[in-house]
């Protein structure tokens, strides 16, 4: 069940951060005959970021006996015979997860018109970068902008949890439903990528993205501040460690945050630093615009 709590309520523990996994077309992964967990040696990898935008991720999933189909539960990954997902080694699971990431981000671009932007050091355009996504009306919509922040782990821009995208469906694990919601309500969208600190091609650390909070501060200053974003107001939806990023934004940009952020939605998040040492007035404003959804077993 899911409990609705005021945003000052206790939040669940977040996942431990993991280094970013590189992605590969299925044919470049060697079929592993090793026991699960023994993955010290892998076939040469190729990042899905190196693949053209029209790369056929669905065909590559099909080459592994998998496909995404529309079900009553949502867009779901199934075996071609509609049975349960086969047992996989860790390397095989990573390969499917990587293909899913590419597939999801291609859906974001092709079905929802999201624009992929690579950010890093603006003074070094050829330096290491990480991708974020904005809606096609982001730079012209003067209404409200929806900001989506995932948590830590292997999830990348566009997903709340990679494991849910692979093992459940994209309705549960991805941000696609929020893109549909934003489109229906006339909101522009920005999807950050705060837990990807290294360039996916070079493996070099991305300037201004050393931590999740650093990434989000960079995104605020270069995309969300009133000088950069035409939206009159902002809505922020943050999962898990995304709540900590939201707390950092509140701490460092408090005056503008309180003026422009009109809605805060947290899911199993830890955001409580927002309430440390703030006035009763500010706490009242945050409580009025915020809600925390916490899962219970």
């Amino acid at each position: 069940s899911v409990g609705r709590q005021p945003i000052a309520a206790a939040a669940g523990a977040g996942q431990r951060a993991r280094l970013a996994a590189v992605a590969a077309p299925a044919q470049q992964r060697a079929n592993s005959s090793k026991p699960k967990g023994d993955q010290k040696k892998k076939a040469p990898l190729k990042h899905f970021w190196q693949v053209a935008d029209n790369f056929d991720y669905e065909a590559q999933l099909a080459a592994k006996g998998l496909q995404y189909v529309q079900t009553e539960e949502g867009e779901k990954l199934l075996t071609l015979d509609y049975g349960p997902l086969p047992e996989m080694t860790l390397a095989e699971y990573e390969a499917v997860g990587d293909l899913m990431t590419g597939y999801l981000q291609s859906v974001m671009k092709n079905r929802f018109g999201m624009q992929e932007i690579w950010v890093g050091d603006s003074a070094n355009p050829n330096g290491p970068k990480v991708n974020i996504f904005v809606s096609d009306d982001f730079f012209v919509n003067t209404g409200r902008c929806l900001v989506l922040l995932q948590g830590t782990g292997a999830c990348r821009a566009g997903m709340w949890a990679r494991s849910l995208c692979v093992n459940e469906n994209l309705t549960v694990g991805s941000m696609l439903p929020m893109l549909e919601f934003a489109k229906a309500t006339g909101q522009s969208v920005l999807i950050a990528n705060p837990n990807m600190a290294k360039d996916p091609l070079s493996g070099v650390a991305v300037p201004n993205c050393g931590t999740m909070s650093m990434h989000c501060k960079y995104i605020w200053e270069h995309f969300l501040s009133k000088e950069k974003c035409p939206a009159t107001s902002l809505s922020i939806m943050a999962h898990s460690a995304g709540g900590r990023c939201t707390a950092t934004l509140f701490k460092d940009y408090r005056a503008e945050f309180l003026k422009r952020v009109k809605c805060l939605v947290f899911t199993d998040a830890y955001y409580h630093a927002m309430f440390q040492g703030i006035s009763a007035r500010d706490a009242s404003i945050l409580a009025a615009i915020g809600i925390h959804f916490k899962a219970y077993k």
Side-chain angles (χ1 to χ4, degrees):
S1 62
V2 176
R4 290 167 58 112
Q5 295 188 342
I7 61 171
Q15 300 174 341
R16 299 183 65 179
R18 246 181 9 98
L19 292 178
V22 294
Q27 73 273 20
Q28 293 185 279
R29 299 267 189 174
N31 290 329
S32 174
S33 59
K34 296 181 179 180
K36 293 181 180 180
D38 183 5
Q39 304 297 337
K40 293 182 179 179
K41 295 182 179 180
K42 295 182 179 180
L45 305 181
K46 181 177 181 181
H47 304 281
F48 66 78
W49 286 274
Q50 290 177 303
V51 181
D53 285 340
N54 61 357
F55 180 76
D56 195 340
Y57 291 99
E58 293 186 77
Q60 293 303 319
L61 285 166
K64 297 183 72 66
L66 303 166
Q67 66 176 347
Y68 273 94
V69 299
Q70 190 67 38
T71 70
E72 292 183 358
E73 300 170 330
E75 199 161 1
K76 188 170 184 178
L77 182 64
L78 298 171
T79 59
L80 290 178
D81 61 2
Y82 294 90
L85 290 179
E87 290 190 8
M88 303 179 193
T89 64
L90 178 59
E92 290 169 338
Y93 183 85
E94 290 290 334
V96 172
D98 295 337
L99 284 171
M100 183 281 303
T101 302
Y103 172 76
L104 171 62
Q105 293 184 352
S106 70
V107 170
M108 288 163 51
K109 291 186 287 186
N110 298 330
R111 187 184 304 173
F112 291 94
M114 296 293 288
Q115 299 177 7
E116 185 175 30
I117 300 176
W118 291 86
V119 301
D121 184 357
S122 56
N124 182 15
N126 295 320
K129 294 179 175 61
V130 64
N131 59 339
I132 66 170
F133 292 84
V134 299
S135 57
D136 55 7
D137 64 342
F138 178 81
F139 296 104
V140 296
N141 191 327
T142 58
R144 179 172 292 192
C145 176
L146 175 62
V147 182
L148 302 176
L149 303 175
Q150 75 263 32
T152 58
C155 56
R156 298 291 174 254
M159 62 184 76
W160 300 117
R162 191 182 69 165
S163 60
L164 290 176
C165 291
V166 173
N167 299 314
E168 296 296 331
N169 57 68
L170 296 184
T171 298
V172 173
S174 81
M175 298 176 182
L176 296 182
M178 298 310 302
L179 297 184
E180 293 178 347
F181 170 78
K183 185 175 182 180
T185 54
Q187 300 183 61
S188 61
V189 182
L190 182 144
I191 300 178
N193 203 0
N195 59 4
M196 191 170 180
K198 295 183 179 181
D199 185 290
L201 298 181
S202 66
V204 176
V206 179
N208 307 303
C209 297
T211 66
M212 296 182 71
S213 293
M214 288 174 61
H215 174 90
C216 289
K217 288 178 63 175
Y218 181 88
I219 295 303
W220 181 280
E221 293 174 3
H222 291 80
F223 291 91
L224 293 176
S225 66
K226 60 183 179 181
E227 292 81 11
K228 303 293 184 178
C229 177
T232 304
S233 61
L234 306 174
S235 299
I236 299 177
M237 183 172 184
H239 174 64
S240 187
R244 181 187 296 160
C245 296
T246 307
T248 297
L249 295 178
F250 172 75
K251 174 178 176 293
D252 291 353
Y253 311 101
R254 183 171 302 188
E256 185 179 356
F257 189 103
L258 289 172
K259 183 177 181 180
R260 296 182 67 219
V261 176
K262 302 300 182 183
C263 179
L264 287 172
V265 178
F266 295 115
T267 60
D268 282 323
Y270 36 105
Y271 54 86
H272 303 86
M274 296 178 72
F275 289 88
Q276 295 176 358
I278 68 172
S279 67
R281 174 185 174 275
D282 289 353
S284 176
I285 292 174
L286 293 177
I289 65 173
I291 191 168
H292 181 208
F293 292 88
K294 191 176 187 305
Y296 294 89
K297 292 184 178 180

